[in-house]
Amino acid sequence: MPVLSVVIPRLKTNQLKWSFSGAFEARQSLIVRGLFPMLADPRHPAESTSATNESILKIALDHGKAAGVIKSHDRVVVCQKVGDASVVKIIELED
């Protein structure tokens, strides 16, 4: 089964220069067969709220549909970090 991995980059600044981390981790996961990395919008903080988690999930599912990895009525297993807890949920895609 294909796995879509969403990496949320972290923006950092030292008042003179902006940089972000996360691209290396996404690129590194290309070595694993069946793993499709995706960089999320860096404006979404990694320590996020429920609404932000849902918006990132929707973007990831839309990307998966566009890439042909998932299609309507597929079941998707979502593993995400919420605070200090890890959450696993199974959702069925709508049309």
Side-chain angles (χ1 to χ4, degrees):
M1 297 306 300
V3 176
L4 182 65
S5 169
V6 180
V7 178
I8 303 173
R10 293 180 185 260
L11 282 171
K12 298 177 186 176
T13 181
N14 63 1
Q15 304 297 335
L16 296 174
K17 182 174 115 178
W18 286 88
S19 65
F20 78 99
S21 63
F24 174 75
E25 290 82 359
R27 194 171 41 253
Q28 196 174 31
S29 64
L30 285 170
I31 198 166
V32 179
R33 180 179 168 185
L35 185 63
F36 299 95
M38 173 187 151
L39 274 176
D41 188 346
R43 291 174 290 184
H44 293 296
E47 299 82 22
S48 55
T49 63
S50 177
T52 305
N53 283 341
E54 292 303 317
S55 70
I56 292 174
L57 178 59
K58 182 179 179 337
I59 291 168
L61 292 175
D62 291 343
H63 178 72
K65 286 179 185 176
V69 177
I70 54 178
K71 54 190 177 301
S72 296
H73 303 292
D74 277 354
R75 289 192 180 102
V76 178
V77 178
V78 178
C79 305
Q80 64 188 128
K81 193 101 164 143
V82 178
D84 290 335
S86 295
V87 177
V88 176
K89 58 184 174 181
I90 300 171
I91 57 174
E92 186 169 345
L93 298 179
E94 314 253 329
D95 286 332

